[in-house]
Amino acid sequence: PALRHRSFLNADLFVAQSRYTIDRLIDTQGVALAKTIRLPWPLSPEFLNLTTRREALRVPDGFPAGLVVLAAARLAANEKYKGVDHLIRAIALLAPKIPTLRLAVIASGDDVARHEQLARDHGVADRVRFLMGLSPTDIAACYSECDVFALPSTGEGFGFVFLEAMAFGKPVIGAATGGITDIVEHEKNGLLVAPGNVEDLTNALEKLLANETLRVQLGRAGAECVRSQFDFETFRSRLESILRQCGLASNENE
């Protein structure tokens, strides 16, 4: 509504978690670039602590054995942008080449059944597991045990699950769009693929699954990135700096 929109634009500063979100504020809402600032969300200290207690983590029932690709997504019928359907197709293409390949999906939402049917339609129902109702420690265990994390989503404002996987030293694959590009640097801490391109996704998965050295290299870089750029102390320091700037601007105006 117009009144609500005018009130929205009267804000002194817009803090957004990614360049993508800032672009949306500017293009869709008409916010001035000078009134925006990027402040990436951090991982909580509690989650990072789980990465140091891997021996105590136990994967939930249903987590597959073998060479495991992990995804995590809310699958909603009215939001079909997560790309898990593309992952299922990629797994079907790679299955003849990699007998031990499996896909585990930490999932919720009302569109899980459609994805389960898609796995059956592509003949990989025995290779795809949907894990639901997991606790935070269950989820952490899944990150710890997987070989690759992949989510070719085309609508992420940030991509928090990539940080979680990277914290556990896992190589990641994401679509080169949205907020994911603020986190994943191609061939530095992960791989980026063309949005909506199953062939590109399949090639990226095959590249990582066939090269353990590359998986370790990208995973190590990702873990270092999380701890240097996305930890809570860095976030708090940046937020305090923003608040100080706001205070100085207010005093000057007065």
Side-chain angles (χ1 to χ4, degrees):
L3 180 60
R4 186 172 172 181
H5 186 241
R6 286 198 300 272
S7 299
F8 177 77
L9 293 179
N10 280 334
D12 295 303
L13 184 68
F14 294 86
V15 180
Q17 75 275 33
S18 67
R19 288 172 293 182
Y20 169 76
T21 304
I22 288 176
D23 289 342
R24 295 285 290 172
L25 285 168
I26 294 168
D27 297 339
T28 304
Q29 301 295 339
V31 172
L33 174 61
K35 293 178 68 174
T36 66
I37 193 166
R38 185 169 69 96
L39 178 65
W41 303 152
L43 279 182
S44 71
E46 291 78 14
F47 187 89
L48 281 176
N49 285 340
L50 291 174
T51 68
T52 67
R53 298 193 292 110
R54 297 190 183 199
E55 69 285 348
L57 299 175
R58 297 290 180 268
V59 292
D61 292 341
F63 190 88
L67 203 56
V68 179
V69 176
L70 180 69
R74 179 179 179 273
L75 302 175
N78 63 343
E79 295 180 346
K80 296 179 180 178
Y81 62 80
K82 291 294 184 177
V84 174
D85 50 349
H86 292 164
L87 270 175
I88 292 170
R89 294 184 178 96
I91 294 297
L93 291 170
L94 291 172
K97 301 179 183 180
I98 311 174
T100 60
L101 179 60
R102 300 291 185 271
L103 172 64
V105 184
I106 301 170
S108 63
D110 60 2
D111 205 29
V112 174
R114 182 180 69 85
H115 287 79
E116 290 175 330
Q117 183 60 52
L118 187 64
R120 290 191 289 270
D121 293 343
H122 282 78
V124 290
D126 60 331
R127 292 175 179 264
V128 180
R129 301 282 177 82
F130 291 89
L131 309 173
M132 294 174 280
L134 302 187
S135 69
T137 53
D138 288 338
I139 293 172
C142 291
Y143 285 123
S144 181
E145 289 299 313
C146 75
D147 296 284
V148 174
F149 179 86
L151 189 68
S153 172
T154 57
E156 298 300 306
F158 186 57
F160 208 80
V161 290
F162 289 91
L163 291 183
E164 294 179 337
M166 289 161 61
F168 275 94
K170 302 302 174 176
V172 299
I173 297 175
T177 187
I180 294 172
T181 58
D182 275 7
I183 298 173
V184 182
E185 294 185 76
H186 185 59
E187 296 185 339
K188 291 185 178 181
N189 58 21
L191 299 179
L192 293 171
V193 299
N197 190 317
V198 175
E199 181 180 2
D200 204 14
L201 173 62
T202 303
N203 291 337
L205 283 169
E206 186 173 15
K207 180 178 181 177
L208 280 183
L209 294 169
N211 191 334
E212 183 178 3
T213 300
L214 180 60
R215 295 201 302 271
V216 171
Q217 175 188 329
L218 295 179
R220 185 179 296 120
E224 292 172 356
C225 172
V226 167
R227 284 161 178 79
S228 64
Q229 299 181 40
F230 299 98
D231 66 299
F232 186 78
E233 289 306 314
T234 298
F235 170 82
R236 182 166 65 180
S237 176
R238 289 171 175 168
L239 179 58
E240 288 175 347
S241 176
I242 291 169
L243 293 175
R244 283 195 299 270
Q245 291 174 31
C246 290
L248 287 172
S250 176
N251 290 336
E252 289 172 358
N253 291 334
E254 291 175 358

